[in-house]
């Protein structure tokens, strides 16, 4: 089963609109005609109108780094799916480890957000991954299973089709310590097995599982060569147009 790879930029809390526009203006010519992989940018909410407008005539998708699970309401500082759609966003990250770590996002919240995204036709990239202490304690497999099972509660196989998962070992994020391709592939296989048990073989064979954590132009091709790795979610190295384009063209 060949799955089209998905290469995504998570800009985190970086860039202002002028910098975002300059990035897209430099990036699009570098990836013009590149149809082998799907490409997506995940900027901060304040940058979304600029980035969606700049990417409008391209195949580059744009999404949010986070959404709220409620349709609307008194949730100061949050962004609704309706707001995301209104500014041209089509994708969202859900449950990034920084959301889990600094904003107390639980598997239950991730699950609610996933329901909301799917209901509105937004492509969700659900992030999972173990922290260093869990890996060292031999708990990686059980952590991944719990996160995947928790995210998928109450979701039907039909509704689940658009879901993408990103495996991001927390110890590899922003540390320069990439998981080896073999170690990442091993974790991806755990996730795919769990997805098979929940949604069946057909879903799991089509499920794209991205790797994230210190992906750079220098290590992208070795990671992407793994059958189990269906793309990348890139933080630091996605902030520069040439660097991210080099990853896209691994
Ligand atoms: P880095 O690529 O900076 O390690 O970040 C990974 C990440 O968190 C992407 O979501």
């Amino acid at each position: 089963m060949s799955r089209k790879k998905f290469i995504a930029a998570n800009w985190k809390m970086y860039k202002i609109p002028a910098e975002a526009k300059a990035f897209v203006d430099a990036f699009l010519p570098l990836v013009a005609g590149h149809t082998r992989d799907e490409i997506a940018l995940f900027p901060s909410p304040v940058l979304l109108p600029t980035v969606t407008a700049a990417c409008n005539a391209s195949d580059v998708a744009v999404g949010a780094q986070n959404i709220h699970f409620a349709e609307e309401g008194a949730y100061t500082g949050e962004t609704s799916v309706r707001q995301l759609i209104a500014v041209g966003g089509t994708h969202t990250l859900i449950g990034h480890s920084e959301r889990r770590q600094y904003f107390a996002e639980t598997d239950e919240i991730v699950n609610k957000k996933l329901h909301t995204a799917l209901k509105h036709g937004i492509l969700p990239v659900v992030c999972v991954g173990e922290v260093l202490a869990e890996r060292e304690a031999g708990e990686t497999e059980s952590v991944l299973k719990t996160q995947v099972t928790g995210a998928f509660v109450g979701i039907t196989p039909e509704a689940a089709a658009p879901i993408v998962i990103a495996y991001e070992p927390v110890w590899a994020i922003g540390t320069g310590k990439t998981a080896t391709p073999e170690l990442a592939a091993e974790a991806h296989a755990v996730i795919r097995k769990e997805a098979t048990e929940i949604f069946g073989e057909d879903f799991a064979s089509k499920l794209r599982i991205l790797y994230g954590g210190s992906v750079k132009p220098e290590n992208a091709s070795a990671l992407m060569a793994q059958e189990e790795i269906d793309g990348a979610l890139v933080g630091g190295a996605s902030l520069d147009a040439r660097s991210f384009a080099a990853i896209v063209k691994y």
Side-chain angles (χ1 to χ4, degrees), residues 43-55 62 87-88:
S44 300
V46 76
L47 305 176
L48 279 168
T50 304
V51 178
T52 56
C55 291
V62 182
V87 295

Side-chain angles (χ1 to χ4, degrees), residues 5 7 178 181 211 214-226 229 231-232 234 243-250:
K5 291 203 198 298
I7 315 288
T178 327
Y211 168 77
S214 298
V215 176
K216 308 271 178 255
E218 304 75 50
N219 58 27
S221 60
L223 286 159
M224 294 309 123
Q226 289 285 334
I229 300 181
V234 188
S243 157
F244 186 53
I247 293 172
V248 167
K249 295 178 173 173
Y250 59 88

Side-chain angles (χ1 to χ4, degrees), residues 122-151:
I122 289 290
L123 184 147
V125 178
V126 178
C127 306
V128 297
E130 79 288 359
V131 301
L132 185 60
E134 291 164 338
R135 173 155 289 272
E136 286 176 342
E139 293 167 1
T140 300
E141 197 167 325
S142 71
V143 167
L144 294 177
K145 281 185 181 172
T146 303
Q147 289 177 340
V148 170
T149 317

Side-chain angles (χ1 to χ4, degrees), residues 79-122:
T79 305
S80 74
V81 165
R82 205 168 143 247
Q83 291 168 333
L84 171 62
I85 293 169
V87 295
T90 52
H91 293 32
T92 190
L93 303 181
I94 297 179
H96 189 278
S97 64
E98 286 149 18
R99 301 286 323 163
R100 295 178 188 257
Q101 199 176 343
Y102 305 128
F103 303 96
E105 256 181 45
T106 59
D107 290 336
E108 196 188 346
I109 295 173
V110 168
N111 174 249
K112 284 168 128 177
K113 292 183 174 189
L114 183 55
H115 276 274
T116 303
L118 292 171
K119 179 177 165 201
H120 290 276
I122 289 290

Side-chain angles (χ1 to χ4, degrees), residues 10 12 96 168 172-174 213-214 233-236:
N10 174 9
K12 308 193 178 184
H96 189 278
E168 301 205 302
I173 295 179
S214 298
L233 182 54
V234 188

